[in-house]
Amino acid sequence: NNVEPKMYDIVHIHVANLCIEAHKRGIEYVYSTHDHHSYHYGKNSSNYKEQLEAMKKSIFSLAPAEYVVDYFDDTDKLFYLSHGVDINYYTPTKAFYSVKNEPVVHKLLMCANNGVAGDYGADRKGFRYGIEAAKMLNLPITIVGADANTRFFAVHTELLEYERLTVIDTNPTEAEKLKIFQDHTIFLHPSNLEYGHPNLTLLEAESCCMPMVATCKSTKLLAGLYIMNEISTEEVIRGINLVSAIYQNLVDEMAEKRHQYDWINVCKHIEKNYFAIKQFQNFDSP
């Protein structure tokens, strides 16, 4: 409410209702959409309609998944812009520094807040598949997140019976999360609904050179990623076995390509768009 029309060259908003309010007040804006509920509930939902309205009234809008751009086919103002990662912060795992050809003792990691649309028992992030796969392979697995996961496991208490499962539901700081990432070897993300492809945790794992078994709808493939053909325990196991068989090769490939999703590259892309807006505004001025 403190922003007035023409006060700033660029106003970039990340929440749909604030976009609509800004438009009413004569403020031009760029919009980034992050609301997976608009896809979860469908095109007849109020979520979808509000998102669409915010996009149509924007200068242009951005989504961090190509399928989201395709989904909002009622507007030509939505474009794809990937998430990014700070590669200077998310540095390689301990396994990266291990002696080559030395056997890696694998530790599985999942990092997510489970549930969807207020249903804390919904396994959107695929915790069950990860835990069951770990159990069948007799591997340790750590699940990291916030209190949403506490509520998930309160519904699925039987999953806690696996003795090699560690649950960290204290919403760790970035420094704590980085240490956890660097102490594990394979990242699991068998998610059935993401609004970012690749999402932030996959990019963090990529930057840490930690091979991944995950779902991902993207034309630009991540190095070291086994994309699941279906969401099932058997497919997670298959992915873990395949990743383990060529582990060092994947780590080496990730080390070469981890810079591709550096935030600086994302920022350079959006900067070009910002300057294009500014040039148009100058051209349009009397």
Side-chain angles (χ1 to χ4, degrees), residues 49-187:
K49 293 174 182 177
E50 184 178 55
Q51 295 288 315
L52 182 62
E53 182 180 356
M55 293 170 193
K56 287 185 173 181
K57 290 176 176 176
S58 69
I59 302 171
F60 65 86
S61 296
L62 300 166
E66 292 162 307
Y67 87 91
V68 174
V69 177
D70 295 336
Y71 184 65
F72 281 92
D73 54 5
D74 295 313
T75 180
D76 59 358
K77 287 190 174 183
L78 183 62
F79 302 92
Y80 172 65
L81 180 69
S82 170
H83 283 312
V85 61
D86 184 353
I87 65 171
N88 294 316
Y89 186 81
Y90 281 93
T91 50
T93 65
K94 290 179 181 178
F96 176 79
Y97 296 107
S98 64
V99 178
K100 289 189 177 183
N101 300 321
E102 182 178 316
V104 177
V105 179
H106 286 297
K107 297 172 64 177
L108 308 178
L109 176 64
M110 303 183 78
C111 183
N113 293 326
N114 219 340
V116 63
D119 181 359
Y120 291 102
D123 195 10
R124 178 165 73 96
K125 301 293 187 173
F127 287 178
R128 177 174 295 277
Y129 305 116
I131 294 169
E132 289 180 348
K135 185 175 182 179
M136 293 186 72
L137 294 171
N138 192 29
L139 290 174
I141 181 170
T142 302
I143 295 181
V144 180
D147 60 353
N149 293 347
T150 307
R151 301 187 188 190
F152 172 83
F153 284 111
V155 176
H156 303 279
T157 55
E158 75 283 359
L159 295 177
L160 295 172
E161 295 174 3
Y162 181 47
E163 64 277 4
R164 304 196 74 183
L165 167 65
T166 300
V167 176
I168 302 173
D169 54 6
T170 55
N171 196 22
T173 64
E174 286 297 298
E176 291 169 337
K177 189 172 74 168
L178 173 61
K179 186 177 184 300
I180 294 168
F181 267 62
Q182 291 177 332
D183 197 37
H184 288 75
T185 64
I186 297 176
F187 191 81

Side-chain angles (χ1 to χ4, degrees), residues 110-112 125 187-191 194 199 201-202 213-215 228:
M110 303 183 78
C111 183
K125 301 293 187 173
F187 191 81
L188 305 181
H189 195 73
S191 173
E194 292 293 333
N199 73 335
T201 57
L202 286 183
V213 176
T215 54
M228 298 172 59

